[in-house]
Amino acid sequence: MSEATMTSAPVARATNAAPSKPVTPMSERKPFPLRTVAGMMVLLVLIALPLLAGGYWTFTLGLCFANAIAILSVSFLVRYGGEVSIGHGVFVAAGAYTVALMEKYLGVSVLAALPFAAVAGALLGIAFAYPSRNLSGIYLAVATMALALALPELLLYFSSITGGYEGLYVKRDALPGISRDLQRYYVPLAGLVVVALLLRQFRRSRQALALLLIRTSAPAAESFGVRRSWARLSCMALSAGIAAIGGALLAFSSSTVSPNSFTLWTSIFLLVGSVVSLYSLGMFGSLIGGIFLTLMPLLLAGAGDWVPILYGGALLLVVLGANLMPESWRARLGGGRA
């Protein structure tokens, strides 16, 4: 091989190579988002918290995480469906009873039953949304309330399956080698993180834009080929599926399910938690709602007849305080407008 050939080959490879990307100066690079850093720090604190907190707080915070997922489902329906539900306790109960029944009759743990719980909730949401697809506003709210009123009676009517007043137990471990108290904390926490991340991805999708368009202007959306009935069914199915996941993890954290856990008040308190979280679809906004929903009744337990007044006062204080916050803070807490 001649010397000219040897020298021209590297030159030719360099010429044919793809142009390298321009190097961005350090001063022009985007800093790592402060919000992401703060979120990761809070998540690390939550992961380490069982090492510092006692068993009572570990148990209570596990319930907070599961309730936060159920609150996310209500916020999702409000954000993308533009509707208010007073019956989401039904979908939460679907997930909880699916897990309990699969453990009782099939002997599987909550992790194996969780996908079936989500599917059961989504199917129940579709079964409700299809006949009520032409309802909206207060009419849909009343229809969902009817579901919540009928649920305890249905559970008691099929007491041979659902366990009646005593309910069912969820006792099987989800993770081998880890104490049950820690499992009841970390499994709902992991569920909340996963659901929040999936919702974050969904909000960037074309399906999310289509749902927002049909909520904002149905005629305009239908002119683009987005059908209103599809939007109603998909929105309710996704919301009910998320609620069922929350119910499944709530059953695992509390170790039991019973009709008294899913009354009309359960659905109303989920709506209250969604308001407190500012209809957030993010992890930390929903966690604020979950903490309010779980801890406030415990803090007021010794107040006797003053409980409704103090609870209403606390709710009013939180809502008015949220409205006094700057708009940018509210948008961040709410996880954005979409």
Side-chain angles (χ1 to χ4, degrees):
M1 184 179 294
S2 67
E3 183 179 352
T5 305
M6 292 178 63
T7 55
S8 60
V11 174
R13 284 198 297 268
T15 304
N16 296 330
S20 59
K21 294 182 180 178
V23 178
T24 304
M26 291 292 292
S27 58
E28 295 181 6
R29 290 181 182 176
K30 292 183 179 179
F32 205 62
L34 182 61
R35 183 180 171 188
T36 304
V37 174
M40 293 177 66
M41 291 181 65
V42 173
L43 183 58
L44 290 175
V45 170
L46 290 176
I47 293 173
L49 202 56
L51 303 177
L52 305 174
Y56 172 77
W57 284 107
T58 303
F59 170 76
T60 305
L61 287 174
L63 297 178
C64 291
F65 300 145
N67 279 325
I69 298 174
I71 287 171
L72 278 175
S73 69
V74 180
S75 299
F76 181 88
L77 185 64
V78 174
R79 286 272 192 120
Y80 287 98
E83 302 291 351
V84 173
S85 169
I86 318 178
H88 253 52
V90 175
F91 307 119
V92 176
Y97 271 91
T98 299
V99 167
L101 290 171
M102 289 190 69
E103 177 176 322
K104 180 180 179 181
Y105 293 106
L106 301 178
V108 299
S109 68
V110 64
L111 293 183
L114 198 57
F116 296 94
V119 171
L123 292 177
L124 188 59
I126 292 174
F128 170 76
Y130 186 76
S132 63
R133 60 188 181 280
N134 294 322
L135 299 179
S136 62
I138 189 63
Y139 298 101
L140 182 66
V142 171
T144 56
M145 185 180 71
L147 274 182
L149 286 172
L151 177 66
E153 300 301 326
L154 286 174
L155 292 174
L156 293 176
Y157 182 81
F158 296 102
S159 58
S160 60
I161 301 174
T162 62
Y165 288 104
E166 295 182 359
L168 301 171
Y169 294 98
V170 181
K171 299 180 289 186
R172 187 175 288 273
D173 290 342
L175 302 171
I178 301 178
S179 71
R180 187 166 297 174
D181 291 340
L182 291 181
Q183 291 185 40
R184 289 172 182 168
Y185 179 89
Y186 284 120
V187 172
L189 175 60
L192 175 60
V193 173
V194 171
V195 170
L197 290 177
L198 290 176
L199 283 177
R200 185 179 179 182
Q201 289 300 116
F202 176 80
R203 291 163 61 188
R204 299 172 178 172
S205 66
R206 297 180 62 181
Q207 288 78 11
L209 290 176
L211 290 179
L212 287 177
L213 182 60
I214 199 79
R215 188 197 70 179
T216 306
S217 175
E222 290 177 348
S223 67
F224 283 101
V226 181
R227 291 190 304 170
R228 188 174 182 178
S229 58
W230 167 85
R232 170 62 62 86
L233 290 176
S234 59
C235 193
M236 184 61 82
L238 288 172
S239 176
I242 297 170
I245 293 174
L249 296 177
L250 189 63
F252 178 69
S253 294
S254 60
S255 300
T256 182
V257 293
S258 68
N260 292 330
S261 303
F262 306 105
T263 63
L264 175 62
W265 285 107
T266 305
S267 300
I268 293 176
F269 285 139
L270 286 177
L271 184 59
V272 169
S274 177
V275 173
V276 170
S277 72
L278 302 179
Y279 305 116
S280 170
L281 294 181
M283 173 180 169
F284 300 108
S286 63
L287 187 55
I288 291 175
I291 290 174
F292 184 91
L293 180 64
T294 308
L295 294 186
M296 192 54 66
L298 297 177
L299 295 175
L300 300 179
D305 295 337
W306 287 85
V307 170
I309 299 174
L310 293 177
Y311 192 91
L315 177 60
L316 193 61
L317 190 64
V318 171
V319 172
L320 292 180
N323 280 286
L324 291 177
M325 286 194 302
E327 186 64 27
S328 59
W329 291 16
R330 294 187 61 191
R332 288 182 179 180
L333 182 63
R337 295 182 180 280

